[in-house]
Amino acid sequence: MMKKNICSMLFLLFATTVFSQELKQVIRGQIVDATSKAPLPFATIIVTSLETPLGTVADDQGNFRLEGIPVGRQNLKVTLVGYEPAMVNNLMLNSAKELVLTIPLKESTTQMEEVVIRASEGNGKTLNEMVSVSGQSFTVEQTERLAVFDDPARVVASFAGVTTGNLDDNGVVIRGNAPKGVLWRLEGVEIPNPNHFGGLGSFGGGAISALSGLMLGDSDFLTGAFPAEYGNAMSGVFDMQFRNGNNETSEHAVQLGTLGLDISSEGPFSKNSNASYLFNYRYSTLALIKPILPEDNGIPTYQDLSFKINVPTKKAGVFSIWGLGLLDGIDSKANKDTTEWVSEYDSYSDLGTFRTGILGLTHNYSFSNKTFLKTSVVASQEYKRYEEERYDFLLDTYPTADLSIKNNKWTASTVLQHKFNASHFNRTGVIVNQLHYNSKLAFSPEFKDPLYTYLDEQSTINTYQFFTQSQFDLTSHLKLNVGIHSQYVNFNEELTFEPRASLSYQISPNRSIGFAYGKHSKLEPLPLYFSEIEENGVVTQPNTSLPLSKSHHYVFSYDWNINDKITLSIEPYYQLLYDVPVIPDSSYSAINIDAQWLYEDKMEGTGTGENMGIDITLSRSLDQGFYYMFTGSVFDSKYKGGDGIERNTRFNRGFVINAIYGKEWVVGKSKNKVLGLSGRLNLLGGKYTTPIDTEESMDQKETIYDESKIYTEKQDPSYRLDISFYWKINKRRHTGTWKLQLLNALGSKDDYGYLYNYQTQNLEKADAQIVIPSLAYKIEF
């Protein structure tokens, strides 16, 4: 009897041990109509990646729950009578976090092939169903797998048609356009630049994104001929969403690395409510160690906080409160030992504080299974305070810059979407922006000159946008999107009418072609319009009457799903820019603005530009542990300034090539560990720069450029290799992930122009060899 009891105990112990190794998790969520966002009852959801498929049926509110799903990569198939079947592929299921999904289905007019609505990089169709060309979704997991510091802007730098500047800036150049032409949207509303130290390296870019991967859901990135709902954009659109927090179970994450400390938490407010919260706080590691470093360490510091509170109600719709806050600081000191000065940059000290705050309230309401209304009210503030001074060789100091910028903005947006039938739906909206603009910009015209105030302005700027757009399924193979966007700006009293249209045709089940056209307009940086110009002793603001910069976009597309994993996409495009601010009888054009605060000339809106090229993407979605993507772009970017002469733009690199490869290995007896490796090789054509005036530079002992030969000197091509390793371990109650990222692993040099070297008394290339390693550990529990 004792032997029998001992054997039974050993069997139970062994069984428990085996069971503990079988790590499983929950996949749940809701099935909704893609157009009206109304719940779809009784859809069938099947996990197709299991040896024995497991499935369930959604309830009368579209909610579904799948329990006991093994951790690792999983695929779902969703079917419902009257709707196009959908696949949701490559979902990463961890032991520490439930997977909560909202899956939209599109009503069908005929029986269609199943549609993959989420896939790995290169295959991701946009979440916005009205985008038919020049658009791609990107997932949070992409930002985690690639060596991009969880930065969406650095993720899209691998997409076709996108180039970047130097390693210390994440501004993206799309098809030859400056980063300032990008529209940033969060939760469907335009927001200020969400990057730390935004605007210092490039308008539209910064050092690193404040949008943590722990907060973001799947998002869209567009590169041309946008649908009518996107206004005040010239080159591209980041259309991003915060995900909702888990409304059933509390989940937390902590990440500590060389770049910073992240703390994230989500969960329900109570067991009796479907309301949830989600937040993430990040504090830079450099800020943590700054107090123990020398006082003049000059280390930049940053921190950010983002959150979303989601409150569904039974009859009044869904309310959400969301926000994002950034706080950055710079405090660098000049070297007071003049014998160690190499260039003039060693003689500068600067002090800067930069903060951005965004707070939004959004209400979503479904009137029926055909009509959906989304209304948002958003308040935001941008504050920049920057002071700069320079020492001479006697260590006397002279102020060189004093900037104070405070912009308070209110945005109200309402969008109504209605499905007339399975073949036609419409989206119409109104957006009102009120900006309280308060800026004072003072610079020293020449070293040792007193500061001169070029701008001291307090204004209220109102813009009004209206759009309407419809999608028509003309046949089972032919789809038309057509709409118009209109924008009114009060300070120049300009009203624009911007038609948008796209047509796509399904040649065969795996091939399609498309064409899109769009007229777009964009406000230039506000200091350009409001700078004060003195003429004959009279101070005026002549640039406030300038029109908005505009462009015509033309895009052709060809897409070939070679098989269920590999996709080829080819997009030739042409963009004509016009009404661009230029200085009469000069080479200057606002097309080339990267980061410029000082404007001291009267301008006219007669500049033009042309961008043309072809983008090619070949990608394999993640399957059997590996994926790849190859992108290539050949393009030409030209402009005409105030003198009417055609020149290269500063962004005309000619070509960009990217190669991404990633591999995952599932290891361990219980298959609970994942080892991952990914790499990106980037090859960029050389940029056009302005040659230096050697004689004047030697005389002035500082770099002077020959503006008569602007953008005529072609630099050599550049390259960069980024590598990422990750090691994920799933345990019963937590998941731990080690991640090592190496940006610019081969140490290629960034070009920062020329400098006069005080030591050698010669002009030298100001190249910087920057390699950025990042080691981090994240625990989710």
Side-chain angles (χ1 to χ4, degrees), residues 165-179:
N166 292 327
L167 194 63
D168 58 357
D169 186 77
N170 69 355
V172 293
V173 176
I174 302 171
R175 294 176 171 175
N177 291 280

Side-chain angles (χ1 to χ4, degrees), residues 254-293:
V254 177
Q255 178 172 285
L256 178 61
T258 53
L259 292 181
L261 169 67
D262 281 74
I263 300 173
S264 181
S265 181
E266 62 183 289
F269 280 103
S270 71
K271 294 182 179 180
N272 300 322
S273 169
N274 285 324
S276 65
Y277 72 89
L278 170 67
F279 82 86
N280 183 83
Y281 174 71
R282 175 167 50 182
Y283 196 76
S284 68
T285 304
L286 295 177
L288 289 172
I289 66 174
K290 187 178 177 73
I292 65 175
L293 298 177

Side-chain angles (χ1 to χ4, degrees), residues 283-580:
Y283 196 76
S284 68
T285 304
L286 295 177
L288 289 172
I289 66 174
K290 187 178 177 73
I292 65 175
L293 298 177
E295 185 177 348
D296 60 348
N297 56 75
I299 291 178
T301 61
Y302 63 88
Q303 54 185 310
D304 56 65
L305 171 69
S306 48
F307 71 91
K308 183 177 182 180
I309 298 171
N310 194 63
V311 185
T313 66
K314 291 183 178 180
K315 295 183 178 180
V318 179
F319 294 86
S320 62
I321 302 172
W322 51 275
L324 174 66
L326 300 74
L327 180 61
D328 309 323
I330 297 175
D331 184 6
S332 66
K333 307 293 184 182
N335 186 349
K336 293 186 179 180
D337 185 350
T338 60
T339 63
E340 296 181 357
W341 287 2
V342 175
S343 72
E344 64 179 271
Y345 298 110
D346 295 317
S347 66
Y348 283 94
S349 296
D350 59 2
L351 177 65
T353 299
F354 314 93
R355 63 173 182 259
T356 299
I358 306 166
L359 179 64
L361 172 64
T362 298
H363 176 231
N364 295 324
Y365 186 78
S366 293
F367 291 96
S368 66
N369 61 357
K370 292 183 177 295
T371 306
F372 173 76
L373 180 69
K374 180 173 185 176
T375 303
S376 299
V377 178
V378 180
S380 64
Q381 182 187 86
E382 286 185 286
Y383 175 79
K384 292 180 171 64
R385 184 76 177 91
Y386 181 76
E387 299 173 86
E388 181 186 80
E389 62 180 11
R390 182 180 176 184
Y391 286 84
D392 65 9
F393 280 92
L394 299 177
L395 293 183
D396 292 325
T397 59
Y398 300 87
T400 54
D402 189 343
L403 284 68
S404 177
I405 301 170
K406 185 177 182 181
N407 297 331
N408 296 320
K409 184 179 179 181
W410 288 92
T411 299
S413 168
T414 184
V415 179
L416 180 68
Q417 187 160 297
H418 179 72
K419 179 167 60 174
F420 294 94
N421 52 54
S423 300
H424 174 212
F425 76 91
N426 175 271
R427 188 178 295 152
T428 297
V430 177
I431 305 166
V432 178
N433 294 298
Q434 184 177 80
L435 176 66
H436 299 282
Y437 176 69
N438 188 342
S439 295
K440 185 175 183 179
L441 309 179
F443 297 90
S444 174
E446 299 289 343
F447 181 39
K448 299 186 179 182
D449 286 349
L451 293 176
Y452 179 83
T453 301
Y454 290 90
L455 174 63
D456 188 358
E457 177 69 20
Q458 297 185 46
S459 299
T460 298
I461 300 169
N462 296 320
T463 66
Y464 307 90
Q465 299 179 48
F466 167 81
F467 71 87
T468 184
Q469 56 191 16
S470 283
Q471 182 176 101
F472 301 91
D473 289 341
L474 302 178
T475 70
S476 60
H477 299 285
L478 186 63
K479 181 182 298 182
L480 172 68
N481 290 305
V482 62
I484 189 167
H485 185 99
S486 182
Q487 181 170 203
Y488 175 79
V489 180
N490 70 328
F491 69 78
N492 66 356
E493 299 183 344
E494 182 177 13
L495 177 64
T496 68
F497 293 95
E498 305 167 18
R500 318 279 176 87
S502 67
L503 192 66
S504 57
Y505 180 69
Q506 196 75 32
I507 303 173
S508 65
N510 62 343
R511 299 172 192 257
S512 64
I513 58 174
F515 173 78
Y517 162 78
K519 178 182 176 182
H520 305 279
S521 65
K522 181 77 171 70
L523 278 165
E524 296 292 343
L526 292 179
L528 182 150
Y529 297 106
F530 292 101
S531 287
E532 297 168 346
I533 312 298
E534 183 176 346
E535 293 180 313
N536 302 320
V538 178
V539 177
T540 62
Q541 293 178 309
N543 295 335
T544 56
S545 60
L546 289 170
L548 303 183
S549 295
K550 302 177 185 66
S551 66
H552 296 289
H553 289 226
Y554 304 87
V555 181
F556 176 81
S557 68
Y558 172 76
D559 294 295
W560 177 21
N561 294 323
I562 299 173
N563 55 41
D564 60 350
K565 304 178 186 65
I566 301 175
T567 300
L568 174 67
S569 175
I570 302 174
E571 286 198 347
Y573 64 87
Y574 175 76
Q575 181 186 15
L576 173 66
L577 298 94
Y578 64 103
D579 284 355
V580 180

